[in-house]
Amino acid sequence: MRGIKNILIGLGLFSTSCFAMSEQQAQQILNNLIKVSKASSTKLKIKKDPSVNAECGYFDRIILTSGALALNTNTVAFILAHELAHKMLGHRGSTYSREYAADKLGVQLATKAGYNMCQGIKILLTFKGGKTHAPGIDRYNRVVGVCK
């Protein structure tokens, strides 16, 4: 855990505040994204877990780990926008192409809502990838041109 924390700090992704973002602040970011996307109402559920992760759950819910609350606003905005994009695109399950599509739409939504995605997408550089998720560097390279 210490190694990933140092990477996040080096990339400028940790919040500069002494305190983690509150659940209410994260919900407000999600509300801002919903407003610009015109997506249906979506609630945020915080899962107590020190890792950084999120998923688009059932019943109009996005699940964010408590570890993600230590990240800066732009990074949380990208993570939530990515998950909201999955919902809007009707994705069930993950594939490389679905992740790429959610990344692109997520960057567009978060940028439209006023968040700095050139900073927010740096979180992708920490992702290793796997069966259903492409390596983060590949995902980053696909969306870095979209962020402005």
Side-chain angles (χ1 to χ4, degrees), residues 5-26:
K5 184 176 180 181
N6 289 338
I7 292 170
L8 294 171
I9 291 169
L11 290 170
L13 302 181
F14 249 32
S15 174
T16 55
S17 167
C18 295
F19 302 101
M21 179 181 299
S22 71
E23 183 173 348
Q24 292 78 18
Q25 289 168 311

Side-chain angles (χ1 to χ4, degrees), residues 44-124:
L44 181 66
K45 178 176 177 11
I46 303 298
K47 177 181 176 183
K48 290 191 184 228
D49 181 340
S51 68
V52 174
N53 205 352
E55 65 181 274
C56 184
Y58 296 102
F59 310 113
D60 290 326
R61 183 172 296 178
I62 290 176
I63 301 162
L64 184 70
T65 59
S66 56
L69 296 176
L71 300 172
N72 67 48
T73 301
N74 294 307
T75 305
V76 172
F78 170 69
I79 293 169
L80 293 175
H82 171 90
E83 297 305 331
L84 184 61
H86 277 303
K87 175 186 171 185
M88 293 172 65
L89 295 168
H91 293 167
R92 292 286 176 256
S94 293
T95 64
Y96 279 28
S97 64
R98 288 179 180 170
E99 292 304 314
Y100 292 140
D103 288 342
K104 183 177 179 183
L105 180 56
V107 167
Q108 292 168 339
L109 293 174
T111 299
K112 189 174 180 181
Y115 298 100
N116 178 345
M117 286 301 94
C118 291
Q119 182 182 41
I121 64 171
K122 287 181 183 177
I123 190 74
L124 293 171

